[in-house]
Amino acid sequence: MTNSKLAVVQFPQAYYNASEQNFLVKELEHHFNTYANSGNKYGTALPTGTLSLISVKASDKVGGWKSFSVTEDAYLGIKLRAKGYKLRYIPTIVGRGLIPSTTISICKQRNQWIYGNMQCLIKIFNNSRLRFNDKLIIGVQLSTWINFLGFPGLGLLLLLISRAFNQSLPLQTMIQICLGHYLLFILVKLLIFKKARVPIRPIG
């Protein structure tokens, strides 16, 4: 953190109350290995709020910890990057916490992540100080927990319902759009997964 342009160092999350084979732990490990690591290559690894080392000086220069989004950590990372700071991810476990242990608590956590990250996604595309490449890499990280396949699925469902009232609607065209969206989604995921994965290292 002695580097004046480095504002965030993010470490992977690890847990006391779950084994490494727990499906939630594996999912989070996948997030850090793939998404955070891809952000690290471009200096855009967003902080997650847990095991994040954040420069107070840099934070103060962008207005500090704001509550615009319910994922304030990610929003702070976006503001720091827009100001020209670098955000790093280091795949070394330096601490452990508690993972949600009930279905209700998991759903609450994911709802917060999805809602907050959608707020941040809207902000990054309206931010003229972020380069296109930064927007793309940050957008990929923010979409980790968001399944955009819901949009074409919802569109197709609405079209099927509306066809009951208007038989002239182009059902085949809509299906082709949905399939194209699905193929694009898979292609983007494959490109992300193709990026070099960095295995998480235990402390010491």
Side-chain angles (χ1 to χ4, degrees):
M1 297 300 285
T2 57
N3 186 331
S4 62
K5 297 304 292 182
L6 181 62
V8 171
V9 176
Q10 177 63 51
F11 298 95
Q13 296 178 12
Y15 306 94
Y16 287 110
N17 63 329
S19 72
E20 293 183 0
Q21 301 306 313
N22 180 286
F23 76 97
L24 284 177
V25 174
K26 298 298 287 185
E27 183 184 35
L28 287 162
E29 182 180 314
H30 169 71
H31 165 76
F32 286 107
N33 282 348
T34 303
Y35 295 93
N37 182 49
S38 66
N40 186 52
K41 294 181 179 180
Y42 303 96
T44 59
L46 294 177
T48 65
T50 301
L51 296 168
S52 305
L53 181 61
I54 301 172
S55 165
V56 174
K57 184 177 181 180
S59 177
D60 287 343
K61 284 190 175 181
V62 296
W65 194 271
K66 298 294 185 180
S67 58
F68 155 75
S69 167
V70 293
T71 48
E72 304 95 332
D73 39 28
Y75 184 52
L76 175 60
I78 292 169
K79 291 194 300 176
L80 289 167
R81 185 58 185 165
K83 198 73 172 178
Y85 288 101
K86 292 184 178 180
L87 319 175
R88 284 201 63 197
Y89 164 68
I90 297 177
T92 301
I93 296 173
V94 297
R96 297 180 186 274
L98 298 175
I99 201 167
S101 56
T102 67
T103 302
I104 292 175
S105 60
I106 292 169
C107 288
K108 284 182 178 179
Q109 183 188 65
R110 294 306 166 89
N111 285 339
Q112 177 182 340
W113 289 354
I114 292 170
Y115 182 74
N117 284 1
M118 283 298 294
Q119 291 176 308
C120 291
L121 275 170
I122 294 170
K123 280 290 184 180
I124 66 170
F125 290 111
N126 292 330
N127 193 322
S128 60
R129 301 188 68 176
L130 281 171
R131 296 177 302 173
F132 176 78
N133 189 60
D134 286 344
K135 290 181 179 183
L136 181 63
I137 301 301
I138 290 174
V140 166
Q141 292 176 78
L142 291 173
S143 66
T144 303
W145 317 109
I146 304 170
N147 189 341
F148 289 103
L149 291 178
F151 291 110
L154 178 62
L156 183 58
L157 177 62
L158 291 174
L159 182 61
L160 290 172
I161 294 172
S162 64
R163 275 181 63 82
F165 305 96
N166 184 355
Q167 295 295 321
S168 64
L169 289 172
L171 178 61
Q172 184 176 0
T173 300
M174 188 60 192
I175 292 174
Q176 290 172 346
I177 292 172
C178 291
L179 288 174
H181 188 287
Y182 177 76
L183 291 174
L184 179 62
F185 176 86
I186 295 299
L187 177 62
V188 170
K189 287 291 184 182
L190 288 175
L191 288 174
I192 293 169
F193 297 157
K194 190 177 179 180
K195 293 180 180 292
R197 290 166 53 90
V198 175
I200 294 174
R201 301 189 299 266
I203 190 170

